[in-house]
Amino acid sequence: MTPRAGRTLGLEMEMAVARRDTGASHPVGGYFETLAAIKAARGEAPDLARIGERIVGVSVAAGESGLDNGFNLLETAFAPVSEDDGGLDELARRATRELHDASRALEAEGAVLLNASEHPDCTLDPSWYATVHVPRPIYRELVGHREWLHRVGIDAKAQNSPCTSVDVTQAARALNVVLALAPASIAIFANSPLENGRATGLKENRLTVWDRMFRHSRYAGDYHLQRLPERPFVDLGDYFRWMFAPGTASRCLPLATDDGYKSATGVYLRGSPCLSAFLASEGWPGRRSDTGEGVTIAPQGAHFEYSQFAHFLDARWRYRLATPPSLEALREAWRRPGGIEELYAQLGASGYIEGRAPGAGFADAQLLREAGREVAATLVMAPSALQLGLMRNLPQAEDLLRSWGWLRLRAMRADAMRDALHDPAVHALAGEVLAVAAGGLAPHERHWLGYAHYAVDARSSGADRLLRLWRELDGDPRRLAKVCEARAVVPL
């Protein structure tokens, strides 16, 4: 019997930081030391993570409190919570505790968390990027080698990423559903209508980041891999053929395949082949990323698993294998329909769907006043509940996908980014998606969709509320400060 989706749940919660007095985007200073002290006082055992001399994270058993791309954008990656340990309810408890901890730690430097999926008035210029970005080794490849315009995300573009476990045999189906129905999540959780102090004309401007980042990449395939393909994935083999096809360029590959994705010393392959070509070879010449020394690297099955992050769609299937595949087993399995699923099941695959469409959203004074505490308290977990319900009601979610049509849904993504719930078709889709998701949840779980129901019924997203505030304060010299005061996160 196939284990049902959501036996374990995770969450990657991104949080923009602003100065309490001015509302300006705020790179954290001693935040992690203060946060570690808060967690230690509760009896947890925090470990500090560093890059060089900079502290960039605090880890405890419940997860890692760290940074996304900049010191002005916090990210907490929660450890998976099993269904038996409370599922959505327990994950919500941990998220609330983290918001309390983060808010307390930020008080020491005069800062607050901001209810927005992008800071409303922050520069994207190179000097700000140079000052604020996290100095991860991988950015030397992405910015220096692949020539990504990484700084277009340095104004705290933030998402709320539900992570829902799924059996490998159902992974491609679940991924198709979450990708195709993403316009509903984009619209319900839209929360970024402003950029650099101006209304953008979009309700979820955050999602322009991938188009802008990759448009002038050194490799055209990078731009291709942030656009939904023209049909659903048939199986995982099909998914990986799309990701690693001719026309794409392999990422820098690790000398040691057990190195972390963001910190590995790697090899740039000569001629920038696609990963498929590299894996079909007996070895490929290249140069080391740290010394420039010429080397020849032999393909391994583990290079396939390492490269799973190559695309930037609205959802990914992320996984780990208990045992790495042999190269020959991988090559053979990849040729057969369903072969990757069969091989990965034998190798102890553990995976989940990482949703990337929902914008970051939190309770604040404005939402509490307009929707009430009961609704506001469900906002952080609503994307997780929505994704869980769809994946547990997979046949009906697939019926919904087919009734709307893959290509129509693909085109609706832009409508959702622009108009959110004010687009009639997107609003209708959001209502149908919400009904299917509710049908997939147990009765005691359905209240976590409270904010989503409120947004659809009121046709009011976080972006609508933020725009209204912004326009009401037009001409006020303290406009940004007042907006950020009203939108400061209230942990519930």
Side-chain angles (χ1 to χ4, degrees):
M1 181 175 176
T2 302
R4 67 177 185 159
R7 294 298 299 272
T8 61
L9 300 174
L11 174 64
E12 293 184 4
M13 184 171 71
E14 297 180 357
M15 300 158 280
V17 184
R19 288 202 56 78
R20 182 182 293 278
D21 53 358
T22 66
S25 185
H26 175 73
V28 295
Y31 168 78
F32 290 113
E33 295 94 323
T34 307
L35 185 66
I38 291 170
K39 294 181 182 297
R42 193 165 49 231
E44 299 181 79
D47 287 328
L48 293 175
R50 290 178 169 82
I51 297 178
E53 298 301 314
R54 304 270 324 245
I55 297 175
V56 296
V58 175
S59 294
V60 294
E64 180 180 352
S65 308
L67 299 163
D68 186 60
N69 61 342
F71 283 87
N72 59 340
L73 181 55
L74 305 179
E75 178 187 82
T76 297
F78 293 95
V81 175
S82 75
E83 185 179 18
D84 295 338
D85 288 336
L88 285 169
D89 291 347
E90 175 59 19
L91 187 57
R93 188 187 70 81
R94 296 183 187 187
T96 298
R97 183 176 65 189
E98 181 71 0
L99 290 172
H100 277 283
D101 288 355
S103 296
R104 283 182 58 197
L106 288 171
E107 285 178 8
E109 47 193 280
V112 296
L113 299 175
L114 190 61
N115 177 24
S117 55
E118 177 178 1
H119 190 279
D121 191 359
C122 178
T123 182
L124 297 171
D125 70 35
S127 60
W128 172 255
Y129 176 77
T131 302
V132 175
H133 81 279
V134 181
R136 290 194 177 97
I138 192 172
Y139 295 156
R140 291 196 292 270
E141 175 199 354
L142 304 185
V143 178
H145 179 72
R146 301 187 84 91
E147 300 177 3
W148 291 4
L149 192 62
H150 192 240
R151 62 183 171 86
V152 297
I154 204 63
D155 57 349
K157 291 183 169 74
Q159 61 194 41
N160 180 330
S161 299
C163 301
T164 313
S165 69
V166 63
D167 188 76
V168 65
T169 61
Q170 305 294 312
R173 294 175 62 198
L175 183 64
N176 284 334
V177 160
V178 176
L179 285 170
L181 302 180
S185 287
I186 292 168
I188 292 169
F189 303 109
N191 205 15
S192 58
L194 306 169
E195 182 176 282
N196 201 18
R198 295 185 294 272
T200 63
L202 303 174
K203 297 291 179 70
E204 188 63 345
N205 184 72
R206 168 187 65 97
L207 284 174
T208 64
V209 66
W210 311 123
D211 179 278
R212 294 154 71 186
M213 188 179 297
F214 305 133
R215 182 170 290 277
H216 301 294
S217 171
R218 182 177 185 176
Y219 303 110
D222 293 346
Y223 186 77
H224 169 75
L225 292 177
Q226 56 88 35
R227 303 181 69 191
L228 194 65
E230 294 186 352
R231 59 171 178 78
F233 299 111
V234 176
D235 58 11
L236 288 178
D238 189 36
Y239 171 61
F240 289 119
R241 277 188 292 275
W242 168 80
M243 198 188 315
F244 304 139
T248 66
S250 172
R251 299 282 283 272
C252 186
L253 295 175
L255 280 171
T257 53
D258 56 355
D259 280 352
Y261 162 65
K262 293 187 176 181
S263 59
T265 297
V267 175
Y268 296 114
L269 301 179
R270 183 185 299 170
S272 305
C274 63
L275 189 77
S276 298
F278 168 71
L279 292 173
S281 74
E282 297 304 312
W284 205 282
R287 60 180 177 84
R288 288 179 56 128
S289 61
D290 55 347
T291 65
E293 176 187 0
V295 294
T296 295
I297 184 171
Q300 303 175 42
H303 286 125
F304 191 83
E305 180 181 358
Y306 176 87
S307 300
Q308 65 183 274
F309 304 98
H311 75 76
F312 286 82
L313 299 182
D314 290 326
R316 291 173 176 150
W317 181 57
R318 296 182 61 167
Y319 68 94
R320 289 183 179 178
L321 301 177
T323 305
S326 71
L327 185 60
E328 283 308 311
L330 176 67
R331 287 168 170 169
E332 191 278 328
W334 206 5
R335 288 192 288 265
R336 289 186 289 107
I340 293 293
E341 284 87 344
E342 182 181 331
L343 174 64
Y344 273 22
Q346 296 169 5
L347 296 174
S350 174
Y352 60 90
I353 301 298
E354 173 198 23
R356 298 162 54 82
F362 307 91
D364 61 18
Q366 185 190 30
L367 182 62
L368 284 164
R369 184 174 63 253
E370 296 185 16
R373 184 182 182 90
E374 187 175 345
V375 165
T378 67
L379 173 49
V380 172
M381 293 309 301
S384 293
L386 187 67
Q387 182 165 296
L388 175 63
L390 290 174
M391 288 174 57
R392 283 196 175 156
N393 205 359
L394 194 56
Q396 285 194 35
E398 289 175 316
D399 287 344
L400 187 60
L401 188 168
R402 284 189 287 268
S403 71
W404 282 83
W406 180 270
L407 289 177
R408 184 183 181 193
L409 289 166
R410 183 174 108 153
M412 286 172 65
R413 183 179 187 270
D415 301 329
M417 288 169 57
R418 185 184 61 252
D419 296 322
L421 296 168
H422 290 275
D423 180 278
V426 172
H427 181 256
L429 174 69
E432 293 182 31
V433 166
L434 194 50
V436 171
L441 297 177
H444 74 277
E445 296 172 320
R446 290 175 189 155
H447 75 281
W448 289 117
L449 293 174
Y451 175 81
H453 283 292
Y454 168 79
V456 171
D457 291 344
R459 284 198 167 185
S460 177
S461 66
D464 295 307
R465 295 188 297 276
L466 180 51
L467 271 176
R468 191 166 65 249
L469 263 177
W470 188 255
R471 289 166 178 160
E472 287 170 358
L473 291 164
D474 187 22
D476 191 315
R478 298 195 68 248
R479 183 192 214 181
L480 181 61
K482 290 181 178 179
V483 166
C484 289
E485 180 182 1
R487 301 281 292 200
V489 171
V490 178
L492 296 177

